[in-house]
Amino acid sequence: MLPVTVKADRIALHELTRAAAAELQEGGSGGWDWAPGGPHEGSRFAAAKMLAGMATGRHRTGWGAYVVVRTEDGRAIGGIGFHGPPEDGRAEIGYDLAESVRGHGYATESLAALTAWALAQPDVETVYATTDEDNTASQRVLERAGFRRIGDTPRPIGGREAQHLFEHTRDDRRGSATTQR
């Protein structure tokens, strides 16, 4: 199957190909012209995770990493995607933006568009995300995209602080996105 593209008002989300994911993982650009500060380490990690899923046969088209491209100039400005295919009707999503483009609503627009795409799939009832307790900017992005905080994740043994857990269900769905294959 061809990689998925999801379009919104000012951005287009392009699912990474195997070659683009490999280049990002290795420290390259993935074939994109990036805004200053990109790609972020989160995008590189997501590319590596997607490649691992491809290697094990767990990856499904649509449920990997995407590059966020600003349509006005064709520049890659960030990454967004799923931590894997949905399980039990739930899909986990994550995102990052180059620091130079933060504060302009691109993260909210990207998150709303990809969440709408996911919730339109028959096997997904809920999209969820976690944020660090002190990452209030990301928490506001989630809220503006229609997510609501439902609690906290447990604190890992010997690890980081608990994280806030947000979700968006099919019943909460707002907005629209156009999908092209």
Side-chain angles (χ1 to χ4, degrees), residues 4-172:
V4 171
T5 295
V6 178
K7 294 185 178 181
D9 291 338
R10 302 175 301 150
I11 51 97
L13 310 174
H14 300 285
E15 186 177 21
L16 295 178
T17 63
R18 182 184 304 268
E23 187 178 332
L24 274 171
Q25 177 191 13
E26 294 168 6
S29 69
W32 299 96
D33 177 25
W34 285 85
H40 190 272
E41 283 307 308
S43 293
R44 295 189 190 288
F45 177 78
K49 190 169 184 146
M50 184 174 159
L51 288 169
M54 289 176 167
T56 63
R58 186 173 187 274
H59 175 73
R60 285 180 26 207
T61 299
W63 300 104
Y66 292 73
V67 64
V68 179
V69 177
R70 189 170 48 199
T71 54
E72 74 180 41
D73 61 4
R75 291 192 100 178
I77 60 171
I80 190 167
F82 301 101
H83 292 221
E87 293 181 14
D88 300 323
R90 297 173 53 83
E92 185 175 6
I93 197 167
Y95 51 91
D96 62 43
L97 286 181
E99 287 186 34
S100 64
V101 299
R102 292 179 186 169
H104 299 283
Y106 294 119
T108 301
E109 187 174 342
S110 300
L111 184 59
L114 196 55
T115 298
W117 177 86
L119 292 172
Q121 307 311 306
D123 55 345
V124 177
E125 292 292 326
T126 303
V127 176
Y128 69 98
T130 59
T131 67
D132 290 336
E133 289 179 308
D134 62 352
N135 192 347
T136 56
S138 186
Q139 293 163 27
R140 299 296 88 76
V141 166
L142 286 158
E143 290 168 348
R144 284 192 301 271
F147 284 71
R148 66 185 180 290
R149 184 173 165 204
I150 60 165
D152 293 325
T153 63
R155 182 182 182 138
I157 296 172
R160 302 167 28 179
E161 298 177 15
Q163 293 192 313
H164 294 320
L165 177 61
F166 288 78
E167 74 175 19
H168 195 318
T169 67
R170 187 174 286 168
D171 294 338
D172 298 331

